[in-house]
Amino acid sequence: MAGAPGVRGWSPVMSGSGRIMKQVPAMVEFTEDADSPQAGLRTSEQLSADDADLQTGIDNLAGLVADHLRLPELLAEVAAFAVRAIPGADGAGVTLLNLDRVDNMVAALAASAPFVAEIDEIQYVTLNEGPCITAALERRTVRSGSLGGEKMWPRFGPRVGRLGVHSALSLPLLLPDRVVGAINVYAYGKDVFDEHAAEFGELFAKPAAVAVHNAQILADALALSVQLQKALSSRPVIDQAIGLIRGRTGRSAEEAFAQLRALSQSEHRKLVDVAQHIVDEAVRRARARARPEPESPVGVA
């Protein structure tokens, strides 16, 4: 695969699976000449190896959610699998996007290598411009073989080119009703990602979108579960505080809760913290009342 020696850091993973063949979807749009120098140069052995790598990557995707990885870890695994599955890749990043939030579009991201993380910083934080954003917003695959002179991203391309990264392939992570995010694949050489690489990238991106989306749903469900557990653990102390207020004031439960909430707002403290303080103070006073009075010294009238 193209790129600086030793940068990729992955050993080829071979499998005995058969070769996958599919026409390039019409959605693909190229930003440079499709007649890449690599086109037509692959031997049958190279094609078979590429097919095996792709199949291994897809097989690995199927087991990700079952491994109960946290979302950042899962995205990092998908990025690593993309490097193995897409011919020519030196590094890859996976980004979850909230396209309806222009001011904070990135929900989560992971990179297979430090240079990809640096490119992500340029794309999402510094410039808000680049192949991932284009691929996601326009729901199409984009690629470039000469980022330094790329007109589509006039600020991003030259800046990344100066890092020595010249080829990019971005693939939207598509579900029938939404765009989940995108996979960004980079290579140090020029004109690395030809039609063959784009085809394999799209074949990989389809199951990757499902795996990433399922992982996001699971992460959201786990976060909600934690919130519910906190709420359930908070409910008893809130109920106790409401009971104490009712006992002291004769108010209804609704009125006692309104008083508790007003205290929370005026003191800028969480409701459960205010309730816990009321309960703790009541316990302290009860213990003080239950403490026996000290006996008078013998002979003292």
Side-chain angles (χ1 to χ4, degrees), residues 57 94 102 126 146 259:
V94 179
V102 179
T126 306
S146 182
Q259 180 180 343

Side-chain angles (χ1 to χ4, degrees), residues 85-154:
I86 299 173
D90 289 317
V94 179
T95 308
L96 290 181
L97 296 171
N98 294 319
L99 295 182
D100 56 341
R101 297 179 59 182
V102 179
D103 58 330
N104 188 17
M105 188 181 297
V106 177
L109 74 168
S112 69
F115 85 90
V116 178
E118 185 175 359
I119 294 174
D120 285 342
E121 179 78 10
I122 294 171
Q123 179 167 204
Y124 304 121
V125 179
T126 306
L127 301 178
N128 193 32
E129 172 187 289
C132 170
I133 297 173
T134 299
L137 289 177
E138 301 184 11
R139 300 174 64 94
R140 62 186 177 88
T141 297
V142 294
R143 64 184 171 105
S144 174
S146 182
L147 286 172
E150 182 55 66
K151 296 180 180 179
M152 183 176 293
W153 312 295

Side-chain angles (χ1 to χ4, degrees), residues 142-218:
V142 294
R143 64 184 171 105
S144 174
S146 182
L147 286 172
E150 182 55 66
K151 296 180 180 179
M152 183 176 293
W153 312 295
R155 295 179 298 159
F156 172 87
R159 187 155 179 174
V160 174
R162 288 194 293 271
L163 298 176
V165 179
H166 298 290
S167 294
L169 172 67
S170 287
L171 308 139
L173 293 173
L174 300 175
L175 295 179
D177 61 339
R178 73 188 68 185
V179 179
V180 179
I183 295 176
N184 303 292
V185 189
Y186 299 100
Y188 288 98
K190 290 188 176 183
D191 299 320
V192 170
F193 301 120
D194 56 10
E195 293 184 14
H196 176 75
E199 175 188 353
F200 272 43
E202 290 178 347
L203 289 172
F204 178 83
K206 289 181 179 180
V210 176
V212 167
H213 181 60
N214 288 343
Q216 189 173 25
I217 291 174
L218 179 59

